[in-house]
Amino acid sequence: MKVLCLFDYASADRSWERWQNKEDRESPEHHLWGITHLHKYDIDVDVLPYEKFRLIKRIGEKLKLGDLDQQLRVIFVSHRYDLIYSTCQTSTLILGLLRILGILKTPLVVKLERPFKNNTLNKILLKIFAKGHDKILCLSDITENQLRDDFKVNQNKLALLDWGADLTSYDDYQFPDNDMETQRILVSAGNESRDYNTLVHAVSKVGCPLKIYCSSKSAPTVTPIPPNIKIQYGNAKSLALAWKALSWKELLSEYAKAYAIAIPLYIPGHRIETTPLYGLTSLLDAISMGKPVIMTKHKQANIDIEKEKIGLWVEPGDVMGWQQAVSYLLRNPEEAQQMGKNGRLLAEKKYNLENFSSQLATALKTDSITI
């Protein structure tokens, strides 16, 4: 079986090239969404280069047609492949229509990361979207259930995948042992939809050290920043280079020193039911590193950090809730350490790249891939 894979970010090209050439990684391999392991299931993969015609790409973005540059190039090479696998739900809109019309003969599979508002317009759009795709890969059971129950998408077109970390990407590095009792440092990193202001307000009252690694765009705007809080960010204007505060290996070194990892998310009231899976990358980092987690409550996340006893939830925008959660972990170091161990065990048992790749291969090779 031969598959053509589409990504919606330029760095995927380099990550794929580095993996093929067995070079040192610049990011964990699960950021390539399973394709590094598909050869184990007799699936060969090519990655379509992210960009060839920048103007066409910009036109597609302007007209909200997805990545028009990639989609046009796919049309001319699709006959070489048994299946097209897109890791972005907006990169196949034109291809889906061509699939409905019978012009595109190659089966089309897409990854979907969030649910949608249940209204008449979305019911129409999702019906068309589902008809144009042979398989929809859901990263949340909430998304899968909504597509099936509210939007009447045939269950045979749906697959639920548990995205998980490539644990080798973490275990290949050796970090000095750190005494959680003496360090007591919180670390928070990330750029997308972060609510660092709430976190800063909370930690300023607790007084423990906090390190934030982000972009200038997502950095907290609280002034003055208390002396116990350190912020580091990059200044690149390009979204693709938006946060280069640290290399990934340097970030792992900071995580290794952390007492706990904080994941504060900006989730406005009108997006509580439809928020994409922001923060999931940081959550996978945390459990892979064996660190306890404090995270803004995210209804779409399949990992319930309190149920799994790996961390604590805090309601969106709740300064007092963050203050109480941080204070609780600081007062209970043995429990915090056990949360970290529970998280690592959970990653080893379920949320890992081996398991995700197996689920992906099963979904790609299913007999139901047909319109």
Side-chain angles (χ1 to χ4, degrees):
M1 185 178 192
K2 194 166 184 64
V3 170
L4 179 64
C5 184
L6 281 61
F7 287 95
D8 63 337
Y9 53 94
S11 60
D13 291 355
R14 181 57 181 154
S15 294
W16 176 241
E17 180 182 349
R18 294 179 75 87
W19 179 82
Q20 288 183 305
N21 295 332
K22 298 181 180 180
E23 299 175 20
D24 290 340
R25 62 178 65 88
E26 294 177 346
S27 61
E29 288 170 6
H30 55 270
H31 285 187
L32 287 172
W33 293 102
I35 63 173
T36 56
H37 287 44
L38 288 181
H39 66 278
K40 298 179 181 180
Y41 305 95
D42 297 320
I43 300 175
D44 295 326
V45 179
D46 285 340
V47 172
L48 185 77
Y50 173 72
E51 182 176 270
K52 185 174 184 180
F53 304 108
R54 181 171 297 182
L55 178 60
I56 295 178
K57 189 179 291 288
R58 289 179 176 175
I59 291 173
E61 294 171 353
K62 190 74 172 179
L63 298 178
K64 299 189 183 301
L65 296 175
D67 193 324
L68 194 57
D69 170 35
Q70 284 192 341
Q71 292 179 89
L72 290 177
R73 284 184 283 135
V74 166
I75 294 171
F76 293 101
V77 300
S78 62
H79 64 280
R80 304 175 191 169
Y81 298 93
D82 299 303
L83 185 144
I84 298 163
Y85 165 40
S86 175
T87 63
C88 177
Q89 65 222 31
T90 61
S91 294
T92 56
L93 301 179
I94 299 297
L95 296 177
L97 291 176
L98 295 178
R99 187 80 172 116
I100 292 173
L101 295 173
I103 297 173
L104 180 67
K105 305 298 183 181
T106 309
L108 191 59
V109 175
V110 65
K111 174 175 66 65
L112 196 62
E113 296 187 20
R114 67 175 179 87
F116 298 85
K117 288 184 178 180
N118 186 2
N119 56 41
T120 301
L121 177 59
N122 279 343
K123 285 183 177 180
I124 295 172
L125 295 176
L126 263 296
K127 183 177 182 179
I128 297 172
F129 183 84
K131 186 172 178 58
H133 292 80
D134 298 79
K135 204 77 173 181
I136 300 174
L137 310 176
C138 305
L139 298 187
S140 164
D141 54 6
I142 289 180
T143 299
E144 182 187 36
N145 294 341
Q146 187 201 48
L147 290 176
R148 184 190 62 240
D149 299 337
D150 295 340
F151 297 110
K152 308 306 177 185
V153 176
N154 192 310
Q155 180 64 50
N156 289 333
K157 285 207 170 191
L158 303 175
L160 178 62
L161 307 186
D162 298 306
W163 192 38
D166 175 41
L167 298 179
T168 303
S169 295
Y170 302 82
D171 297 343
D172 278 351
Y173 302 112
Q174 297 295 322
F175 303 103
D177 292 332
N178 293 286
D179 186 354
M180 291 177 63
E181 281 295 292
T182 58
Q183 293 283 340
R184 297 297 185 97
I185 298 172
L186 297 183
V187 173
S188 188
N191 180 35
E192 286 290 330
S193 290
R194 291 307 198 265
D195 182 13
Y196 289 123
N197 282 342
T198 293
L199 179 62
V200 167
H201 282 304
V203 174
S204 66
K205 298 179 184 298
V206 178
C208 69
L210 167 65
K211 293 182 178 180
I212 295 175
Y213 301 100
C214 58
S215 68
S216 56
K217 180 180 178 180
S218 62
T221 57
V222 176
T223 54
I225 297 294
N228 60 307
I229 299 174
K230 306 298 181 184
I231 302 166
Q232 186 173 328
Y233 55 83
N235 292 302
K237 294 182 180 180
S238 167
L239 181 60
L241 301 173
W243 77 284
K244 290 292 181 182
L246 294 173
S247 70
W248 185 67
K249 186 176 179 181
E250 289 171 335
L251 180 59
L252 290 191
S253 181
E254 293 304 306
Y255 280 153
K257 302 172 189 174
Y259 182 86
I261 293 176
I263 310 174
L265 302 175
Y266 174 66
I267 304 179
H270 69 282
R271 293 295 302 277
I272 288 178
E273 303 295 335
T274 58
T275 300
L277 287 170
Y278 297 133
L280 182 55
T281 299
S282 294
L283 179 55
L284 292 182
D285 281 340
I287 65 176
S288 300
M289 294 294 292
K291 297 296 179 176
V293 180
I294 306 174
M295 183 173 181
T296 303
K297 179 68 175 177
H298 195 327
K299 295 188 68 172
Q300 277 62 259
N302 258 15
I303 304 176
D304 187 332
I305 63 175
E306 291 192 351
K307 182 180 178 180
E308 301 291 351
K309 297 182 179 180
I310 63 176
L312 301 172
W313 290 122
V314 180
E315 293 298 323
D318 185 357
V319 174
M320 181 62 70
W322 272 98
Q323 183 181 341
Q324 292 172 345
V326 172
S327 297
Y328 180 84
L329 287 191
L330 292 175
R331 291 196 308 269
N332 297 277
E334 291 184 2
E335 184 175 351
Q337 193 168 36
Q338 186 59 50
M339 286 179 176
K341 292 178 180 179
N342 293 343
R344 174 64 193 210
L345 185 60
L346 185 64
E348 293 173 356
K349 285 185 174 181
K350 184 175 183 180
Y351 295 102
N352 58 72
L353 183 56
E354 295 286 347
N355 186 48
F356 176 81
S357 301
S358 175
Q359 294 173 343
L360 174 62
T362 299
L364 296 182
K365 298 177 82 169
T366 181
D367 292 337
S368 65
I369 292 191
T370 182
I371 286 185

